[in-house]
């Protein structure tokens, strides 16, 4: 854009100095947070800034403070070099088949379309944005939204952080094989992940006690009197997918259920429908289903209804996440709540509150799930 | 963040100059796009930048280019001064009752929660982000996500743009009374809206031919043999809500249908359910429903099924938007497609391609809707 447009009538540092009755240098020191300025003078300058509507040029201030006051919110995938050649246009991974989520329970392979389109088809990402924004806003900071599903896009993210355009990265990984966490730690850049990385990398993260969540689901189905429970798992190459299956199976085993039918899904509604069809075909007498996220549980409810099974009378269904999909489903889903907004806010807090210095150790914060009982089980 | 962390081992301008065998000044001129540099030397410098992994400090470059290479993507509401006092925390408007959308068809008052949470409960916003990101990425630009539902938050957006942190704003307004478009034009800031503003403001926008879309819905219901069509409208203080109702009514009037029952909704699934209940109570013999967005159509399908009406055999249902909700619905919705991604990309193009100078005239681009026939009608 042209500078004329931006600076049309914009108040200057001189205007502030004049209004405050102090020198330009004093205004500059107050604005840039230099210490040893008389508090009374600081207040006068702040009022003058407010009255004049002066907005310091952020680029200039960044040079002084060495802070961008911005955070990169990165949704990353696992595209490799060859896919990057297909362009940043981003349909590179649409055809890659298995949709794997790096740790949480978000669907990333809907009916094709660009990576960005697939990402936002899942209510999970909106909740992450909500949590991040609600934490950053009161601090005068904003998230820069970036996507990194190809090699080229990952390089862009690393370069963006290196050049100081953001004060660190909040990363939501959609694939178990995502190389971005490793690239960020190698480059010595500040970053926090949503969910434990599938490969061990010394990087901070927030996560949920997934096994505990699955235990809550199993105990609820047992308490309802379910005798033949089955499960639609998430992708099993993902820590969260495996942990939810393990937690469900282990709890039922402790109650004498030696064998639990499993159909693997990909955290999408369609994969939940397909998995439910398989389970019904092989185990027509099942009376309870734990789906590892709400979208798959919604798909399961659709298929059960099409087969004339009533939910919850004939088959009880429990989801996972407590996303907007749980409320939109008919019947509304009994589900295991993952406090995504609070987890995302904590991710931002970990990034911004970390001790200074290049070698602060990686840390983790694990949240506890909660059972939310509605109509489906 | 600390500078140590960011610059740990980061290559410098000197490293590039050494690798290229040219002066620092030459490197600087190439990086900042100064003309009259021998193309061969430009190429040598570019290779040296690539080999060394040098990333120029963006703040420093911004000072030279006067460009931020960032665009603010703003979701705005209509909070007034008093609400702003409730804090930027943003629940100020959760209790304000009527959810009005500034022009498109997005739901903004779900079951409470923060403004940001309400925004992302509607698949519409993810589609806007997708279109914007898909346009910006190949240009090396990224959206900074901002929310502006209170007076204080609006001031922050204006200040952010004034200080040059972004090269303009893409604005999605969720309320008819939103003052942000007016504030931006008054401040002489570059901005483009998604959908025509409810109040006349000299600002560029993209929009859909809403009446044509509603005409497609009406003609489809008539062609199916519907004799007693009704409609669930969007909020009628919003241009898009009014236009869709007008288009539907006018088309049916031309086919002899003098009176069409209407129940007003708020673009949310719940409001669609409530509207469908009212329509069924007053017009139990209706055989076709046009809902002004897919979320309301989904709600209508739920209620119709609960009342034992088959969709589409007893009552045909047509939605609007062709969002992910249309595919998730059972039966999948016949709907009017609004090409939100393409519209959002065009919004970004209008912002970035506008002629330089403070007084480029406002322009508008109107997209044509399309009927997508699935199972619900």
């Amino acid at each position: 854009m042209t500078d004329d447009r931006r600076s049309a009538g914009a108040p200057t540092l001189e205007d502030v100095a004049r209004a405050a009755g102090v020198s330009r240098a004093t205004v500059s020191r107050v604005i840039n947070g230099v210490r040893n300025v008389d508090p009374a003078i600081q207040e006068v300058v702040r009022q003058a800034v407010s009255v004049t509507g002066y907005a310091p040029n952020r680029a200039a201030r960044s040079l002084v403070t060495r802070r961008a006051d911005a955070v990169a919110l990165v949704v990353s995938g696992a595209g490799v070099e060859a896919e990057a050649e297909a362009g940043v246009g981003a349909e590179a991974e649409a055809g890659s088949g298995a949709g794997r989520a790096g740790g949480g329970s978000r669907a990333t392979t809907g009916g094709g379309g660009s990576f960005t389109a697939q990402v936002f088809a899942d209510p999970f990402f909106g909740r992450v944005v909500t949590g991040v924004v609600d934490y950053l806003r009161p601090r005068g900071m904003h998230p820069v939204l970036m996507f990194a599903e190809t090699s080229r896009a990952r390089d862009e993210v690393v370069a963006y952080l290196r050049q100081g355009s953001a004060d660190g990265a909040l990363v939501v990984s959609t694939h178990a094989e995502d190389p971005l966490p490793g690239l960020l730690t190698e480059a010595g850049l500040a970053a926090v992940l949503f969910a434990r990385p599938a490969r061990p990398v010394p990087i901070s993260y927030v996560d949920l006690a997934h096994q505990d969540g699955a235990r809550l689901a199993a105990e609820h189905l047992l308490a309802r009197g379910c005798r033949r429970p089955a499960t639609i798992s998430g992708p099993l190459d993902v820590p969260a997918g495996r942990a939810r299956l393990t937690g469900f199976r282990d709890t039922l085993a402790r109650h004498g259920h030696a064998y639990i039918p499993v159909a693997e899904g990909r955290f999408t509604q369609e994969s939940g429908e397909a998995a439910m069809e398989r389970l019904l075909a092989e185990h027509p007498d099942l009376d309870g289903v734990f789906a590892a996220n709400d979208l798959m549980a919604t798909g399961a409810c659709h298929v059960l209804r099409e087969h004339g099974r009533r939910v919850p009378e004939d088959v009880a269904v429990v989801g996972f996440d407590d996303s907007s999909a749980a409320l939109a489903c008919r019947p509304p889903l009994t589900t295991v709540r993952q406090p995504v907004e609070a987890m995302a806010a904590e991710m931002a807090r970990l990034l911004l509150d970390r001790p200074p210095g290049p070698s602060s150790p990686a840390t983790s914060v694990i949240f506890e799930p909660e059972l939310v009982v509605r109509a489906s089980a």
Side-chain angles (χ1 to χ4, degrees), chain A residues 34-327:
Chain A
V34 176
R35 292 171 196 212
N36 300 326
V37 179
D38 183 320
I41 292 180
Q42 289 189 30
E43 185 51 34
V44 167
V45 170
R46 278 199 203 95
Q47 285 181 8
V49 165
S50 172
V51 167
T52 58
Y54 172 70
N57 180 287
R58 186 171 285 236
R61 201 177 51 182
S62 266
L63 275 183
V64 175
T65 62
R66 299 189 178 280
R67 278 185 38 209
D69 283 339
V71 163
L73 176 54
V74 187
V75 184
S76 66
V80 291
E81 210 61 44
E83 285 168 347
E85 299 305 311
V88 192
E91 284 181 289
E93 259 154 76
S96 73
R100 292 174 294 266
S105 54
R106 47 270 185 194
T108 49
T109 48
S114 74
F115 180 72
T116 44
Q118 293 170 38
V119 164
F120 278 101
D122 190 321
F124 174 87
F125 291 97
R127 296 177 69 192
V128 171
V129 172
T130 297
V132 167
V133 167
D134 286 354
Y135 184 84
L136 293 181
R137 284 177 78 185
R139 291 160 182 82
M141 300 183 74
H142 307 280
V144 179
L145 205 51
M146 305 185 80
F147 293 82
E149 79 288 25
T150 63
S151 175
R152 196 198 298 178
R154 282 188 289 274
D155 289 347
E156 281 178 17
V157 170
V158 170
Y160 189 84
L161 292 166
R162 270 219 177 106
Q163 70 200 27
S165 296
D167 298 321
L170 304 172
V171 179
V172 183
S173 207
T174 61
H175 282 68
E177 302 300 313
D178 183 11
L180 187 65
L183 292 175
L184 292 172
T185 51
E186 279 164 29
L189 294 163
V192 180
L193 298 193
F194 193 101
R196 178 162 61 91
R199 297 167 172 182
V201 171
I203 194 167
S204 295
Y205 62 83
V206 300
D207 209 340
L208 187 78
H210 299 284
Q211 292 208 23
D212 288 350
R215 177 179 51 76
L216 294 174
E219 287 171 352
H220 183 71
L221 288 175
L222 289 171
R224 280 188 61 92
C226 288
R227 307 298 302 269
R228 291 170 301 280
T231 185
I232 300 173
S233 79
L236 295 178
D237 61 345
V238 161
R242 279 197 305 275
R244 293 177 197 175
L245 176 59
T246 303
F248 189 68
R249 270 189 175 144
D250 287 359
T251 305
L252 291 172
R254 274 196 294 275
H255 287 81
H257 292 269
Y259 169 73
I260 306 297
V262 181
E264 187 177 348
R266 295 190 316 273
F267 286 142
T268 61
Q269 183 175 312
E270 306 84 65
S271 72
E273 290 172 3
M276 192 69 244
E277 292 281 6
R278 294 200 299 278
L279 287 174
L280 270 183
E282 293 168 22
H283 308 277
D285 61 344
L286 57 81
D287 60 1
V289 175
F290 165 51
N293 82 347
D294 291 338
L295 288 178
M296 295 195 298
T298 299
C301 287
H302 286 163
V303 167
L304 287 166
R305 194 171 54 231
E306 281 162 15
H307 283 266
R309 313 294 177 98
R310 292 168 302 161
V311 177
E313 295 83 352
D314 302 325
V315 182
V317 176
V318 178
F320 204 106
D321 275 352
D322 196 23
S323 72
S324 58
L327 276 170

